Each structure stands twice: as structure tokens, then as C-alpha cells.
């Protein structure tokens, strides 16, 4: 969209209005009905602003179907945000029988010391819809929200209230005064087909699949539209509950049913992996005739106390898993192989495919992972291949159909120089194992614009500084225009914009409103939480989990940086302390040390720290935890609980678990056959606890 400053003639205005009308209508359809927005919110705002400006200037041109009169035509800003009382989690995946057995096995291992304990699991269909959180107070539905990012969703109360099988008032008894009921909103096949027949008759675009249509229907600003869509709901979980209402998953399902919710009739209790797999097969055999989309089976540990003990990893519970149905496949042709350069310089080959529909979605790219993969699968440009996709996973090439290979096809040669910056691209050799890395990396570092750009995208991403309005597209644009070259530049953008001849508000995709919003979001990111900031730096091998470990250990950024710089000497105490963090091994330690000793990184960091002040890390633990802030080492064989559980428990209560004993250690928990660590603790005068004493302390 180019900015024109010359006023439009009436004829020009008419054409422009019609063009904008088409763009905005398509965008509305993409957003609400297909749930596949193709333009950003700020681009939308900009088009919308122009549309309204023309209407204002030329009232006679205002169309009968003007978008400014339509309520349902505004994008998501129309919904207010709702913070969930308890975060909404996602699930880990199992793709085959072994993964399921492993899951059950992990459970048995975790609870191995609970003598005579029998683990049972529920098994139920995984509904392919949109999850929703319904808050009931004193039995009355008071608020409903989408999942959003898991922490905060959008308020869709009015829309949810139009769904006929969701109770506005809970039936029966025994519900907690305040409870978040969770489940899936979906559209069944009959309704989906009916709406598509209607759409076809009206010559409108048909909908992609029931899930997208359900999602679009839920996000209608006009609840009357949602009401016409005949959505349904299955309840399968809960978040916050002001009182305990049950002790097992299966009983919770019965309660939800008594309170008036639809629960899935294919939910059963299983005694072992075999029974779980048998139920999976049964559900799969009924998949085509259920009348609604499912994409797998969810298994959940039945006992709620045990669920609590087994706990969570990152955003998913350890005690539940989604067993996905096999991927759907199709055959197509590899038209080209492109190389993408990632944040760490990794050269990733991507196959450009002749577009093909796989399981209802058009696929035109597939990842090839690395050069060995291309060799192993013997893929060449021009080959006919089988592609598959499973759920949201990036499509993959399963195999080449070799007898369809064109006679003049040539072996694919993987580039040895970076296609973006021309630096040499190498495969590193692991100093310890002597093995060659599977990944070929560009050696250009921040000189390579691809790496610099990807680093910026990472810096502002969700788990990092999470700057609203600064997504991949905007970062690309600012980078290409030379406005943001390194992280520090983000924070000086507003100052520079004030003096710019082409300020942001006049740029394509931005308006005054979105520019102001962006500057506000940037301002709000100036005091990032410590784990996020460390993660944002994009140090290799430092994901959010390791970043959090560093934050917990060192408390503030200066402490962390100083310690890592001092740790360059492997004999130093700082190096030992780094390695003593449970979960941090040599590879990660080396990686952070290398990062802080790189001069370019240091310069970038110095600039950045002039702009931002990372917060001190405060443990989010109540003061009555007897082990909050204490450093604990576990050694020997524990008899009552597994080592993994003892560690999880200690961390849950705010302790730091270290793998080696030093003068800083507060407690050594010594099980049977404790050896050198026990001796060292005794020598240093560290308090030694038996397993029973430990359990007494934390329980
Ligand atoms: S349980 C803590 N059960 O799958 C566990 N989820 O991949 C919370 N889903 O966001 C989820 N059917 O939207 C659960 N029977 C089921 C489900 C189900 C569909 C969705 C849900 C969740 C996603 C995780």
C-alpha cells in the first residue's frame, strides 16, 4: 500500500474504496471464518483507516454494504483479555505404541518406591476443536475465554453462552464455589457440511475444516452469528477449583456430567498400557463414524494426588499424553530445494513442493532437516515423493518414488558456503566425542544478516521479551530498512522515529495507533524478568529451562555474567559452581562461556544493557517453605521416593538442587550407599539428612 498525498478525485476514490472493500472483506473472512489471517492487525488497521477516510471525504460514495456499519467486522481488539486463574496447558505427544508404553513406564519409575501402588489411566478421544475455559461462580457461568497463550485468553462469554449444551447454571450438587471448567468447542460434520452447502449456494468461499470454522465462529464479535453456527462442547478438564471435589480423573468426569456438561462417552479407565492401546484401536476404528473430528487419544493418570506429585514440564503435564493418529499422506513433486539460515547459523534445507492437499490442508513446503537427511532419503530436485503431515507438525517427506525419477535428474549438492552472507559453512566436530555435527553452520555470526535477523526475532519472541506488535514480519521490515540491526536498537526506535522524515505512523502496515502501541510495548519490555532476558540472548543450548536455572542460581544478571566470565578457567571455583547446577552440563557451560567471551556479543550486550534493566530473580515460593532458597544435594539410593521426585519436590518448594557438594551446600540428603559426596559434606560440616529426615522436612 503506497502512501499518496495527492487528494483522490471522486472517480479514483470510488475505485480505491472498492479495492479496499475487497481487501477488508477478504481479511475478515480469513480472520473470522477460516481462522487463517493473511495480513497483520496493523495492516488491517491501516486499510481500515483509509477506507473510513475516503467515506468521510466522499459521503456520496458510501456503499450500502459499508464495512464501517458492520459490527462483526473489527478484528480481535474487540475482545477484552482474560487471565486464566490456572494456566491452560498443552500436552506432550506419543506417536506409536512404544511411546505409550514408555509413558506408563516413566510413571512406574517415578513412583517406584510407593509399594503396591497401582497406576491407572483414563483414555478418551482427543477432540479436534478449540479449547475454552468456563468460569462458574456459585454454580453460575460468569465468564468464558479462549486458551490464548495459555496464560491469557480472549473474553468470549457472550459467544459461549449461545452454545446449547453448555449449562448457564450447574445442575446437581457438590461443585466448588468457584471453578474453571475446561473442554473443547467443536462443530460436528453434519453442521459443517450444512454451512458449506449454504456457502456454495451463496457463491461464498467454502470453509477449510470444522476446527477452523468452530474457531472463527467463536471469535465473532456479534454473538448472534455464533448462535447460528450450532457449536457443541465436550468437558474434559478443569483449572482452578476453590475446593477439592474429587480424587480421581474418572470421577471428575462423572461429576462434570452430573453438573450438566457433555462428556465424551468413549472415556474409560485402563489398568495398563495394553488396555490403553486396545482402547486407542477401538476409538480409531470408530473415527470415521463418530460424526466429529478427533485427532488422537488422550491418556491421563487417574489419581489426582499422584498427578500433583508427577508434576509438569514447561507447558505440559508429565501425567498426561496425547497419542496421535498416524499422519495422512499424499504424493507430489519436489520443485526445488532452498536453504534457510537460522539463528545459530544452521543451514536448513527446505523442499519446495508442487502444492498438494494432505488431510485437508494444502502443503507446498517440507523440511528436509539437514544434508544427511537428503542423502539418506536420496532426494533430488524433480523427484516424486510421498509427503505426510501429523497434526500441527511441519510436513515431512517420507520417501522418494524412485521409479518415477526423471532420467536427467542430478544428485543434489549441499552448499558449502552460506547462501546469505557467503561465509564458509562448516560442520563442527564435537571435541568430546569426535563426532561430526549433522548440522552445517554459517561461520559469519552476526555478520550474517540471516543470523542477525533471526536473533532479533528470537529476542522479541513469546518466551523472550514478548514485545507485542513486533512479530517476525515487522522485525524483517525494520531490519531491511536498517532501523533495527541489533537488540539495543529496538529501544532507541522511538527517539529516532521522532526525528525521522518517514515516521512509523506513515509506513506501510502502520498507523498512528499501532505505532503508539508498539512504542508502549517496547517501553514495557525495558525491565524484563531475568529468565526471559537470559533466554532472549539466544545463547546456544540455553532454552527457557536452562535460562531459569541460571536465574535461580545467580539471582541477577551482573552476577550471572561475572560468574560466567570467571568460569573461563576450568580450574576456577566459578566453573565448578556452573557445573554444579543440576541440569547444566559441560556443553551448556562451554556455550555460555563462549558467548560471553565473544567480543561482538559483548559489544551488543553493553549497548543493550544501556537500554534495559533485567529484574532480580525472586523465588515465587511462600515464606513457610523450610527449604526455600536452600542449596541441596541428593546422593545415594533413595528408598521411598525416586531421585527424580525428590528433585522435583525440592524445586517445587523453592530449593536449588545442585549436583556437587561445596561449602555453600545447605543440606546433603544421603540415601543408601552414599559415597564420596557424604564424606565431603562431613568434612565441610554440611548438614546431612537421611531420606526420612528429608521427607519430614518437606511434607
Ligand atoms: S486435556 C492438562 N483432554 O488438546 C491437560 N485436552 O494438545 C489439558 N484436547 O489444549 C488438556 N481433547 O485443547 C485434554 N480429551 C482431551 C482433549 C484435549 C482435545 C486439546 C486441548 C489441549 C490440546 C493439547
Amino acid at each position: 500500500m503506497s502512501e499518496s498525498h495527492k487528494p483522490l478525485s471522486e472517480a479514483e476514490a470510488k475505485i480505491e474504496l472498492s479495492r479496499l472493500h475487497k481487501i477488508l472483506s477478504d481479511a475478515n473472512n480469513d480472520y473470522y471464518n477460516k481462522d487463517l489471517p493473511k495480513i497483520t492487525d496493523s495492516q488491517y488497521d491501516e486499510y481500515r483507516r483509509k477506507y473510513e477516510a475516503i467515506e468521510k471525504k466522499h459521503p456520496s460514495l458510501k456503499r450500502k454494504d459499508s464495512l464501517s456499519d458492520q459490527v462483526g467486522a473489527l478484528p480481535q481488539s474487540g475482545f477484552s483479555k482474560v487471565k486464566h486463574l490456572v494456566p491452560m496447558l498443552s500436552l506432550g505427544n506419543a506417536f506409536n505404541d512404544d511411546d505409550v508404553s514408555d509413558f506408563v513406564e516413566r510413571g512406574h519409575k517415578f513412583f517406584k518406591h510407593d509399594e503396591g501402588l497401582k497406576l491407572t489411566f483414563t483414555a478418551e478421544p482427543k477432540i479436534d476443536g478449540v479449547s475454552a475455559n468456563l468460569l462458574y461462580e456459585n454454580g453460575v457461568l460468569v465468564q468464558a475465554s479462549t486458551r490464548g497463550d495459555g496464560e491469557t485468553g480472549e473474553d468470549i462469554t457472550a459467544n459461549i453462552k449461545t452454545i446449547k449444551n453448555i449449562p448457564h447454571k450447574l445442575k446437581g450438587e457438590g461443585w466448588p464455589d468457584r471453578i474453571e471448567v475446561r473442554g473443547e468447542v467443536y462443530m460436528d460434520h453434519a453442521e459443517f457440511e450444512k454451512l458449506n452447502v449454504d456457502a456454495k449456494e451463496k457463491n461464498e468461499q467454502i470453509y477449510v475444516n470444522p476446527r477452523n470454522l468452530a474457531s472463527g465462529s467463536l471469535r465473532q464479535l456479534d454473538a448472534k452469528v455464533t448462535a447460528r453456527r450450532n457449536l457443541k462442547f465436550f468437558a474434559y478438564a478443569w483449572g482452578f477449583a476453590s475446593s477439592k471435589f474429587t480424587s480421581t480423573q474418572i470421577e471428575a468426569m462423572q461429576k462434570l456430567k452430573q453438573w450438566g456438561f457433555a462428556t465424551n462417552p468413549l472415556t474409560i479407565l485402563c489398568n495398563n498400557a495394553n488396555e490403553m492401546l486396545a482402547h486407542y484401536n477401538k476409538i480409531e476404528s470408530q473415527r470415521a463414524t463418530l460424526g466429529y473430528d478427533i485427532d488422537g487419544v488422550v491418556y491421563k493418570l487417574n489419581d489426582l494426588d499422584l498427578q500433583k506429585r508427577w508434576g509438569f514440564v514447561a507447558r505440559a503435564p508429565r501425567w498426561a499424553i496425547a497419542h496421535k493418529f498416524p499422519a495422512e499422506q499424499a504424493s507430489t513433486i519436489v520443485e526445488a530445494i532452498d536453504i534457510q539460515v537460522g539463528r545459530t547459523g544452521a543451514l536448513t534445507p527446505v523442499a519446495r513442493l508442487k502444492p498438494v492437499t494432505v488431510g485437508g490442508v494444502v502443503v507446498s513446503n517440507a523440511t528436509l532437516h539437514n544434508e544427511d537427511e537428503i542423502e539418506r532419503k536420496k532426494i533430488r530436485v524433480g523427484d516424486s515423493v510421498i509427503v505426510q503431515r501429523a497434526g500441527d507438525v511441519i510436513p515431512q517427506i517420507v520417501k522418494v518414488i524412485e521409479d518415477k525419477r526423471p532420467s536427467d535428474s542430478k544428485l543434489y549438492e549441499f552448499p558449502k558456503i552460506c547462501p546469505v552472507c557467503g561465509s564458509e559453512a562448516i560442520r563442527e566436530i564435537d571435541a568430546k566425542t569426535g563426532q561430526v555435527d549433522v548440522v552445517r553452520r554459517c561461520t559469519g555470526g552476526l555478520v550474517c544478516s540471516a543470523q542477525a535477523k533471526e536473533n532479533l526475532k528470537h529476542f522479541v519472541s513469546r518466551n523472550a521479551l514478548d514485545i507485542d506488535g513486533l512479530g517476525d514480519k515487522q522485525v524483517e521490515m525494520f531490519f531491511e530498512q536498517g532501523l533495527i540491526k541489533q537488540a539495543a536498537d529496538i529501544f532507541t526506535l522511538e527517539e529516532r522515529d521522532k526525528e525521522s522524515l518517514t515516521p512509523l505512523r506513515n509506513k506501510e502496515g502502520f498507523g498512528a495507533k499501532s505505532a503508539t502501541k508498539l512504542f508502549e510495548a517496547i517501553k514495557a519490555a525495558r525491565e524484563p524478568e531475568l529468565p526471559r532476558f537470559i533466554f532472549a540472548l539466544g545463547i546456544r543450548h540455553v532454552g527457557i529451562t536452562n535460562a531459569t536455572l541460571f536465574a535461580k542460581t545467580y539471582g541477577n544478571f551482573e552476577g550471572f555474567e561475572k560468574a560466567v566470565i570467571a568460569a573461563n578457567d576450568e580450574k576456577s571455583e566459578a566453573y565448578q559452581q556452573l557445573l554444579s547446577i543440576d541440569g547444566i552440563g559441560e556443553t551448556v557451560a562451554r556455550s555460555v562461556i563462549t558467548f560471553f567471551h565473544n567480543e561482538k556479543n559483548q559489544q551488543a550486550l553493553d549497548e543493550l544493557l544501556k537500554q534495559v534493566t533485567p529484574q532480580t530473580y525472586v523465588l515465587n515460593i511462600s515464606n513457610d517453605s523450610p527449604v526455600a532458597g536452600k542449596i541441596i544435594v541428593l546422593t545415594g539410593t533413595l528408598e521411598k521416593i525416586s531421585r527424580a521426585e525428590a528433585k522435583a519436590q525440592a524445586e517445587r518448594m523453592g530449593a536449588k538442587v545442585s549436583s556437587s557438594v561445596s561449602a555453600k551446600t545447605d543440606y546433603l540428603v544421603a540415601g543408601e550407599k552414599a559415597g564420596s559426596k557424604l564424606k565431603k559434606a562431613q568434612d565441610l560440616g554440611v548438614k546431612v539428612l537421611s531420606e526420612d529426615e528429608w521427607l519430614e522436612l518437606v511434607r
Side-chain angles (χ1 to χ4, degrees), residues 175-189:
W175 21 265
D177 295 342
R178 205 157 183 238
I179 180 168
E180 292 179 309
V181 174
R182 290 173 178 174
E184 205 83 352
V185 173
Y186 67 99
M187 182 177 286
D188 67 24
H189 292 160

Side-chain angles (χ1 to χ4, degrees), residues 53 195 388 558:
L195 290 177
Q388 72 172 27
E558 303 81 77

Side-chain angles (χ1 to χ4, degrees), residues 477-697:
M477 184 198 88
F478 287 126
F479 189 86
E480 302 302 339
Q481 298 182 355
L483 288 169
I484 298 179
K485 292 199 225 85
Q486 56 171 340
D489 299 342
I490 295 170
F491 300 93
T492 57
L493 191 64
E494 185 173 7
E495 269 315 298
R496 287 179 284 134
D497 194 63
K498 283 183 189 147
E499 284 141 31
S500 168
L501 293 177
T502 49
L504 207 52
R505 59 177 183 280
N506 293 345
K507 283 206 164 80
E508 182 173 332
F510 282 92
K513 208 173 100 193
S514 53
T516 313
K517 258 195 183 159
L518 175 63
F519 294 140
E520 273 166 15
I522 292 174
K523 215 174 280 165
R526 278 185 186 267
E527 289 181 12
E529 291 160 20
L530 187 54
R532 284 173 176 275
F533 182 73
I534 295 175
F535 171 67
L537 298 178
I539 307 169
R540 238 168 105 192
H541 305 297
V542 180
I544 190 69
T545 307
N546 286 343
T548 309
L549 287 176
F550 290 134
K552 273 189 190 159
T553 307
Y554 297 101
N556 58 47
F557 190 74
E558 303 81 77
F560 172 52
E561 185 179 15
K562 227 162 114 190
V564 174
I565 289 173
N568 195 26
D569 173 4
E570 294 202 355
K571 288 192 211 79
S572 65
E573 201 182 311
Y575 186 71
Q576 289 315 318
Q577 190 194 9
L578 198 55
L579 278 189
S580 74
I581 305 172
D582 209 23
I584 301 297
E586 273 178 45
T587 312
V588 184
R590 266 289 132 220
S591 174
V592 284
I593 294 170
T594 311
F595 179 90
F596 282 102
H597 279 86
N598 175 308
E599 210 176 306
K600 283 197 189 115
N601 289 340
Q602 266 304 339
Q603 279 167 8
L605 199 54
D606 288 348
E607 288 303 309
L608 181 58
L609 288 170
K610 284 182 199 155
Q611 303 298 333
V612 302
T613 315
Q615 297 174 24
T616 301
Y617 189 77
V618 187
L619 283 174
N620 185 19
I621 300 290
S622 69
N623 290 332
D624 18 286
S625 164
V627 296
K630 298 271 191 266
I631 299 176
I632 285 158
V633 177
L634 302 162
T635 189
T637 321
L638 303 182
E639 311 245 286
K640 304 231 167 78
I641 55 170
S642 63
R643 179 82 75 91
E645 179 168 12
K647 177 169 183 250
Q649 194 178 43
E651 286 176 347
R652 208 163 38 233
M653 300 193 64
K656 290 179 201 163
V657 179
S658 170
S659 57
S660 62
V661 177
S662 76
K664 291 200 187 123
T665 311
D666 291 295
Y667 298 117
L668 177 82
V669 181
E672 283 298 303
K673 299 206 190 92
S676 59
K677 288 187 190 170
L678 176 57
K679 177 151 190 319
K680 188 161 180 200
Q682 286 163 341
D683 291 349
L684 289 168
V686 169
K687 190 161 172 52
V688 178
L689 299 177
S690 69
E691 182 176 357
D692 283 337
E693 286 169 328
W694 164 254
L695 289 175
E696 185 132 337
L697 187 65

Side-chain angles (χ1 to χ4, degrees), residues 89-91 124-127 130-131 147 184 236-237 298 300 317 319-320:
L89 302 167
S90 59
L91 291 169
E124 68 196 273
K126 183 169 189 299
I127 316 297
V130 189
S131 49
R147 179 177 187 279
E184 205 83 352
Y236 52 66
V298 182
K300 299 171 188 167
W319 46 264

Side-chain angles (χ1 to χ4, degrees), residues 268-285:
I268 65 159
L269 190 63
C270 300
N271 289 300
N272 51 48
N274 280 343
E275 289 183 19
M276 289 151 76
L277 295 172
H279 195 56
Y280 172 89
N281 289 330
K282 179 176 165 180
I283 292 177
E284 192 181 17
S285 70

